Amino acid sequence: NAGVTQTPKFRILKIGQSMTLQCTQDMNHNYMYWYRQDPGMGLKLIYYSVGAGITDKGEVPNGYNVSRSTTEDFPLRLELAAPSQTSVYFCASSYRGFTDTQYFGPGTRLTVL
Amino acid sequence: DQQVKQNSPSLSVQEGRISILNCDYTNSMFDYFLWYKKYPAEGPTFLISISSIKDKNEDGRFTVFLNKSAKHLSLHIVPSQPGDSAVYFCAARELGSRLTFGEGTQLTVNP
């Protein structure tokens, strides 16, 4: 059981570039989440999904897109990267909903210059 | 509007002593509270939780206390061990809604 895996671990983007952060879980969890963590701040929810084909916005969705075509994968797309998107991104999953224990991936550190 | 606040960015304690990490919240609709621990270059891992109908929950060396009237919760670690050195996040949830995280407290346990 690998749990939640994220790729890449690190990435540097130029302003205006785009990229996809990959997230995969092998626990057959229904719920998946994307968070960002800025220095000195708590984790903020970007998007979440309650199952394949269903996604919804979190607290800070602007500048991001997601899709959930399978139970296992939940990629996060950044279009037109901006310096404000410099952050550490965590993917997480849980079996049922927000109350269930969320299992986090190791994170992707993204810098936009 | 920071609904969950951890006012101490860092805490340093001696091995074997008690560590007390604090968290304050403003939303009286929060009904479930959690603590997560995070090591460098890893994702947060769940540590302990408490429902708003309780005022204490214990799991081994870790105890969470909830004071609803003061809108305050705390995490006690006794005895503290060097391996407990990590960033600790408190989080709160309003029924059916997302988790709201605090800023985190860096705990350092000195041998």
Side-chain angles (χ1 to χ4, degrees):
Chain A
N1 241 5
V4 179
T5 57
Q6 292 182 238
T7 56
K9 284 187 168 50
F10 305 93
R11 184 72 186 265
I12 298 175
L13 281 183
K14 293 184 179 177
I15 294 172
Q17 287 185 320
S18 61
M19 75 164 293
T20 299
L21 282 68
Q22 302 291 346
C23 176
T24 300
Q25 54 94 6
D26 63 358
M27 297 174 282
N28 202 31
H29 284 171
N30 295 311
Y31 279 66
M32 295 187 75
Y33 315 83
W34 274 106
Y35 291 91
R36 59 178 286 172
Q37 186 197 2
D38 300 326
M41 304 288 287
L43 284 76
K44 295 195 183 297
L45 184 66
I46 305 171
Y47 270 96
Y48 68 98
S49 168
V50 304
I54 306 169
T55 63
D56 206 349
K57 295 178 181 178
E59 188 182 0
V60 289
N62 291 343
Y64 307 94
N65 278 301
V66 293
S67 59
R68 182 102 180 267
S69 56
T70 66
T71 300
E72 295 77 20
D73 301 304
F74 190 39
L76 177 72
R77 178 85 177 159
L78 279 74
E79 307 280 4
L80 298 175
S84 61
Q85 293 178 304
T86 293
S87 190
V88 180
Y89 292 84
F90 292 101
C91 178
S93 71
S94 65
Y95 182 57
R96 287 174 295 212
F98 290 108
T99 348
D100 253 11
T101 299
Q102 293 186 25
Y103 295 85
F104 285 80
T108 294
R109 183 174 293 276
L110 175 68
T111 302
V112 182
L113 300 173
Chain B
D1 176 26
Q2 188 69 17
Q3 296 189 64
V4 178
K5 279 200 70 65
Q6 295 176 254
N7 290 312
S8 298
S10 63
L11 175 67
S12 182
V13 299
Q14 285 299 119
E15 181 178 5
R17 306 295 291 269
I18 185 172
S19 295
I20 300 176
L21 295 96
N22 294 303
C23 181
D24 296 297
Y25 62 95
T26 57
N27 186 347
S28 57
M29 299 300 291
F30 286 147
D31 69 338
Y32 194 71
F33 303 87
L34 309 90
W35 285 94
Y36 278 82
K37 179 168 74 172
K38 183 184 177 307
Y39 292 118
E42 295 183 11
T45 56
F46 170 75
L47 188 57
I48 192 169
S49 64
I50 187 167
S51 165
S52 61
I53 62 173
K54 295 187 174 183
D55 54 19
K56 177 182 173 180
N57 188 27
E58 195 170 350
D59 183 2
R61 296 186 297 113
F62 302 91
T63 303
V64 56
F65 295 92
L66 176 62
N67 183 334
K68 288 187 289 293
S69 60
K71 294 191 178 68
H72 178 83
L73 71 156
S74 61
L75 175 68
H76 292 210
I77 307 173
V78 185
S80 301
Q81 300 173 353
D84 296 329
S85 296
V87 177
Y88 290 78
F89 292 98
C90 70
R93 184 214 67 171
E94 186 176 339
L95 182 62
S97 186
R98 59 175 173 82
L99 293 180
T100 300
F101 285 83
E103 307 93 325
T105 296
Q106 171 69 57
L107 172 66
T108 302
V109 180
N110 301 301

